[in-house]
Amino acid sequence: MKNFNGSKISQIYAREILDSRGNPTLEIRCYLESGVEVSASVPSGASVGQYEALELRDNDSKRYLGKGVLKAIENVNKIIAPAIIGEEAINQKKIDQLLVELDGTSNKSKLGANAILGVSMAVARAAAEFLGIPLYRYLGGIIANTIPTPMLNVINGGVHASNNLDLQEYMIVPSTSFSFSEQLRISVEVYHTLKKVLAEKNKITAIGDEGGYSADFASNEEPLAIIMESIERAGYEPGKDLFLALDSAASEFYHDGKYHLKLSDELLDSEELLRIYEDWINNYPIISIEDGFAEGDELGWKIFTKELGEKIQIVGDDIFVTNLARLRRGYEQGIANAVLIKLNQIGTVTETLQCIKYAYEIGYKPIISHRSGETEDTFISDLAVAANVPYIKTGAPARGERVCKYNRLLFIESEIHWRK
Ligand code: PGA
Ligand code: ZN
């Protein structure tokens, strides 16, 4: 057996930093005996699923309006660090299991999923560094060679923007026939053309949390028509070169069994909302709808999947929360055919990979995703390549915390496919 002694963790240290919304989050530094030193930082969502692992916040109104993460940091420095110092970083599964046991709750509420995830990510990165291989290669092995197709959120609504859209995300998805760098170039051209088209229509071109434009619209459908116009004006063919995708984040506008679309002043039941999606799918080249129904509306999800699951990708985010048990339950009930994967919904790298593995087993497409509150950490780019996922969602091609993920993928693409 090769001796991995130098991969022993010598120190783990957490600090408070800021995310892209200016809220505190954790940066974890991991040091190995060999001299390796790496860091990882933790994202944070706004449209958070009810069953997500718990993000521990201080709730001390005197600091950062209650959003400080000093408790989570103390949990890393005083509880987690002593427990895993001396462990070999290459034993990711063992370390993640230790973290889960140390917490002991089903939703990581004792130590905080933010504390646990930061450590789990930092340990993985340290192991890759120790072995002298890229993170995607470490996590995925020699089979990891797929650069995912980006789903770029070019118009922001819902809780990600201060405009009037009920739906949270309007995305463009370039054809899989292009290479990643071509996909990105085409999408950037459409994104800039969209800005021009919006300006011509006297709409503001300020951007929301994920870098998409955040104007007011006449209806929840209007962004689809305007994106179509922009694709054509940029010289591309909708339905051939580029497709559309939505993340309704419907849990956010579902109250007392009804979907409340404020923009159109409608109170809809599941069947009526389904008809709207059906109508849009017939009129636009929509290939994917995420969280079209609320996490609590299982009946809605079932009819959605039954009626439209043959035509489009139906993605579960809030309803599955990257949780294998929840995904299994959804699969058995005939809910969705794809799953959004967010590290911080479950809280460790190992559990995330297990959820992805299970998704492949049941034929659900896994889609790696950022959060609306992000950092400059590019872990998810490597994770997407490692797991050979077909798609990555990491916002518009704007704002450093989004663009760094795309830039990392450009680098990986050149490393995998073009290096002579
Ligand atoms: P969140 O949004 O990070 O605010 O949860 C992303 C999503 O819903 O996909
Ligand atoms: Zn979502």
Side-chain angles (χ1 to χ4, degrees):
M1 248 303 255
K2 192 169 169 5
N3 187 341
F4 287 118
N5 261 346
S7 104
K8 278 193 177 146
I9 297 167
S10 57
Q11 187 59 266
I12 285 271
Y13 186 70
R15 291 188 310 122
E16 201 172 38
I17 60 164
L18 297 181
D19 72 13
S20 57
R21 273 192 281 254
N23 290 326
T25 187
L26 292 92
E27 183 192 72
I28 313 288
R29 284 199 171 261
C30 178
Y31 303 81
L32 304 187
E33 284 180 1
S34 66
V36 162
E37 176 189 344
V38 296
S39 69
S41 49
V42 182
S44 172
S47 60
V48 176
Q50 192 189 333
Y51 299 100
E52 290 194 20
L54 184 108
E55 179 183 85
L56 191 62
R57 299 248 174 224
D58 297 340
N59 296 320
D60 169 3
S61 58
K62 291 195 221 54
R63 288 190 79 251
Y64 285 117
L65 308 159
K67 288 188 181 286
V69 289
L70 294 183
K71 277 186 209 158
I73 282 167
E74 192 174 292
N75 290 344
V76 174
N77 295 340
K78 300 233 169 96
I79 301 173
I80 294 176
I84 67 165
I85 284 172
E87 291 294 335
E88 290 181 359
I90 55 152
N91 287 335
Q92 185 75 33
K93 194 171 171 203
K94 181 181 175 201
I95 291 174
D96 283 346
Q97 205 163 340
L98 264 170
L99 294 171
V100 168
E101 282 165 13
L102 205 56
D103 178 86
T105 67
S106 61
N107 65 347
K108 303 189 173 64
S109 53
K110 186 170 164 224
L111 300 173
N114 42 353
I116 292 171
L117 177 65
V119 171
S120 182
M121 288 164 70
V123 165
R125 187 168 271 143
E129 188 78 14
F130 171 76
L131 295 169
I133 54 175
L135 180 59
Y136 67 85
R137 187 64 65 220
Y138 171 63
L139 293 173
I142 54 171
I143 200 94
N145 291 306
T146 312
I147 313 295
T149 291
M151 304 176 78
L152 300 100
N153 181 7
V154 294
I155 292 181
N156 292 184
V159 296
H160 292 170
S162 45
N163 60 359
N164 64 354
L165 290 172
D166 295 294
L167 273 60
Q168 184 177 281
E169 303 175 18
Y170 294 78
M171 291 171 272
I172 53 172
V173 188
S175 163
T176 53
S177 64
F178 302 114
S179 67
F180 176 76
S181 42
E182 286 290 279
Q183 289 176 326
L184 195 59
R185 177 181 59 78
I186 290 165
S187 304
V188 166
E189 289 168 12
V190 172
Y191 177 70
H192 290 307
T193 308
L194 173 59
K195 183 172 184 174
K196 262 194 222 140
V197 173
L198 289 169
E200 282 169 17
K201 297 182 191 302
N202 292 320
K203 294 189 186 295
I204 58 160
T205 54
I207 58 174
D209 284 359
E210 296 188 351
Y213 301 113
S214 159
D216 277 340
F217 290 87
S219 66
N220 286 307
E221 182 179 347
E222 194 189 14
L224 296 171
I226 293 181
I227 293 172
M228 292 288 279
E229 186 183 337
S230 307
I231 292 173
E232 282 165 3
R233 288 263 299 269
Y236 297 104
E237 199 182 317
K240 178 173 168 278
D241 301 318
L242 287 133
F243 300 86
L244 307 186
L246 295 169
D247 177 2
S248 309
S251 306
E252 299 294 324
F253 53 87
Y254 182 69
H255 310 286
D256 303 324
K258 294 271 186 195
Y259 293 93
H260 190 185
L261 296 178
K262 288 205 210 93
L263 183 45
S264 48
D265 195 20
E266 287 174 293
L267 210 53
L268 307 174
D269 63 26
S270 309
E271 192 74 34
E272 289 164 327
L273 183 61
L274 180 72
R275 295 302 150 224
I276 290 181
Y277 292 141
E278 200 169 25
D279 187 43
W280 289 356
I281 288 167
N282 290 332
N283 291 307
Y284 303 95
I286 294 172
I287 56 162
S288 176
I289 299 181
E290 175 185 333
D291 282 2
F293 289 81
E295 58 195 319
D297 181 16
E298 290 185 349
L299 209 63
W301 271 102
K302 282 187 213 167
I303 53 165
F304 184 34
T305 310
K306 196 153 169 259
E307 296 214 10
L308 301 179
E310 298 283 310
K311 288 191 183 160
I312 59 161
Q313 176 171 278
I314 292 182
V315 188
D317 172 9
D318 287 359
I319 192 153
F320 297 143
V321 292
T322 316
N323 181 314
L324 200 157
R326 289 194 60 80
L327 180 58
R328 178 180 287 128
R329 192 164 159 263
Y331 167 63
E332 285 164 2
Q333 291 183 320
I335 286 173
N337 57 30
V339 53
L340 207 72
I341 301 288
K342 293 166 167 170
L343 284 154
N344 78 327
Q345 281 183 327
I346 189 70
T348 63
V349 173
T350 301
E351 288 164 292
T352 304
L353 289 169
Q354 283 167 345
C355 187
I356 295 171
K357 182 167 173 276
Y358 180 67
Y360 282 125
E361 278 166 29
I362 59 173
Y364 278 39
K365 282 190 178 155
I367 299 165
I368 301 285
S369 173
H370 63 163
R371 299 305 305 241
S372 52
E374 266 295 338
T375 72
E376 315 87 289
D377 195 308
T378 57
F379 196 99
I380 59 165
S381 305
D382 285 73
L383 177 64
V385 176
N388 284 302
V389 299
Y391 296 106
I392 188 168
K393 249 183 74 169
T394 188
R399 304 183 52 138
E401 78 281 3
R402 316 290 147 189
V403 167
C404 64
K405 275 72 162 175
Y406 293 125
N407 287 341
R408 173 70 184 151
L409 285 168
L410 285 173
F411 179 80
I412 298 174
E413 180 186 49
S414 69
E415 196 165 60
I416 288 181
H417 295 297
W418 296 334
R419 189 155 70 185
K420 293 279 181 301

